[in-house]
Amino acid sequence: MEKIISSIRNEALSIESLLIDLDPLTWSKETSFKSWSPEIIISHLLYFDRMTIYSHQDKDKFNREASFLFKAFSNETNSLKRAKLVFDRLAIHEQSSMIDAWKKSNQEMTTIFQGVDPDERCQWFGPDMSARMFMIARYMETWSHTQAIYDLLNLDRNYTDDIEHIVQIGIKTFKWTFRNRKLDVPEIFPYLELISPSGDVWSFNDINNMESIKGKASDFCHVVTQNRNIKDTDLEVHGKISEHWMSIAQCFAGEPEDPPQQGTRK
């Protein structure tokens, strides 16, 4: 657990530095991610970090909140309106208070899970998952959602090799991406050759000149988290299976979602 916990803490520090000078107008400004503002994004991360804590420490609280979410979301399908329901549920309206609450909950979550058996099964909204995968999912969501704030501020992100966690979850959800859309799962898994932020080469699966994806690991992470359209990256994609996967890749749970249109987020 040490590696993923360290990655979450590293990411939290990066986000703190991103938020520290955010003025109130920008805090409430819509981003290119489903019109979520930084305020909505941080409230979302705070709420689900807390839910992660409840899953391990207070199952009754988790079940009560899960019941609230299922009921609220069944009556509302719009992403922004759903996110605002979560924001209202927190009842934290001051910018500094929201940021401080997120920092505190994120620190509490990592402290708790640092001592948890990586294979321990943890309750969530779908199937249970291992504690280690739970933390990888939290890292992925935190990294993915906050990209919208970087985009809003027109800032380049400082990528680190911590994103290997997202590469791994992107690969693990290859079959699920197709099944989630009720599509036949390809029999061939594309060969991946990705350049890490530190310059190392990360390769996965057997070498296949007919089906392959090559390029920067950061671009791959943006595609599987649907922060970027594949056509707005420098990834070299060869083969019909590879092209299809990259056009619908989704490493997060839930109903099938489409990546942003070309040119809208880059």
Side-chain angles (χ1 to χ4, degrees):
M1 294 291 275
E2 183 178 350
K3 183 177 180 180
I4 182 58
I5 294 298
S6 175
S7 296
I8 294 172
R9 288 172 173 166
N10 290 341
E11 193 59 35
L13 289 173
S14 296
I15 296 167
E16 285 180 44
S17 66
L18 190 67
L19 300 175
I20 194 167
D21 294 323
L22 217 59
D23 62 80
L25 184 63
T26 307
W27 175 247
S28 59
K29 188 175 182 179
E30 291 184 357
T31 71
S32 55
F33 173 69
K34 301 180 179 180
S35 298
W36 289 24
S37 64
E39 178 182 50
I40 292 295
I41 290 169
I42 298 303
S43 69
H44 178 89
L45 296 177
L46 164 60
Y47 184 85
F48 286 98
D49 280 354
R50 285 184 175 179
M51 286 297 285
T52 302
I53 294 169
Y54 300 150
S55 174
H56 189 266
Q57 303 286 86
D58 189 341
K59 295 190 182 301
D60 287 341
K61 177 70 170 176
F62 177 89
N63 288 329
R64 287 196 299 273
E65 288 299 310
S67 179
F68 157 75
L69 287 175
F70 283 128
K71 183 177 180 180
F73 286 12
S74 66
N75 296 319
E76 181 56 70
T77 58
N78 178 268
S79 173
L80 179 58
K81 290 181 179 179
R82 283 183 168 185
K84 286 182 175 178
L85 290 172
V86 168
F87 172 80
D88 292 340
R89 183 74 167 178
L90 289 168
I92 303 173
H93 301 291
E94 293 293 328
Q95 178 178 342
S96 59
S97 297
M98 180 71 76
I99 294 172
D100 287 343
W102 166 72
K103 288 163 57 178
K104 180 180 178 181
S105 290
N106 190 268
Q107 290 165 0
E108 182 181 358
M109 179 186 72
T110 55
T111 298
I112 290 170
F113 278 84
Q114 188 173 27
V116 173
D117 184 332
D119 295 324
E120 180 179 326
R121 306 305 294 178
C122 298
Q123 181 181 5
W124 202 235
F125 300 101
D128 293 351
M129 66 180 88
S130 71
R132 180 178 177 276
M133 184 54 66
F134 210 178
M135 289 297 95
I136 291 175
R138 293 311 306 143
Y139 172 78
M140 179 273 294
E141 184 173 50
T142 302
W143 185 91
S144 174
H145 283 332
T146 53
Q147 180 61 45
I149 304 177
Y150 284 93
D151 293 345
L152 178 66
L153 300 175
N154 196 28
L155 292 176
D156 292 331
R157 193 169 200 157
N158 181 31
Y159 300 110
T160 72
D161 283 3
D162 285 335
I163 64 172
E164 184 179 5
H165 300 296
I166 301 175
V167 172
Q168 293 284 358
I169 202 170
I171 293 169
K172 287 180 182 294
T173 50
F174 169 75
K175 292 181 179 180
W176 179 83
T177 291
F178 288 89
R179 288 173 180 156
N180 195 38
R181 292 173 177 267
K182 297 179 172 55
L183 299 172
D184 292 336
V185 177
E187 295 182 2
I188 298 174
F189 199 125
Y191 170 67
L192 271 70
E193 186 175 287
L194 305 174
I195 308 301
S196 76
S198 67
D200 290 339
V201 177
W202 295 338
S203 60
F204 306 89
N205 308 318
D206 296 331
I207 293 177
N208 185 337
N209 293 326
M210 301 299 292
E211 294 289 346
S212 67
I213 300 165
K214 299 180 181 180
K216 293 186 292 186
S218 56
D219 277 348
F220 179 81
C221 290
H222 281 308
V223 172
V224 298
T225 57
Q226 295 191 354
N227 276 324
R228 298 285 188 268
N229 186 293
I230 180 61
K231 294 181 180 178
D232 290 322
T233 73
D234 294 324
L235 289 175
E236 298 176 10
V237 182
H238 300 285
K240 291 184 178 180
I241 293 172
S242 303
E243 291 174 354
H244 193 186
W245 178 29
M246 290 290 94
S247 72
I248 61 172
Q250 178 177 331
C251 73
F252 50 89
E255 294 297 314
E257 295 196 30
D258 294 325
Q261 293 295 311
Q262 182 181 1
T264 58
R265 295 189 68 183
K266 60 180 181 178

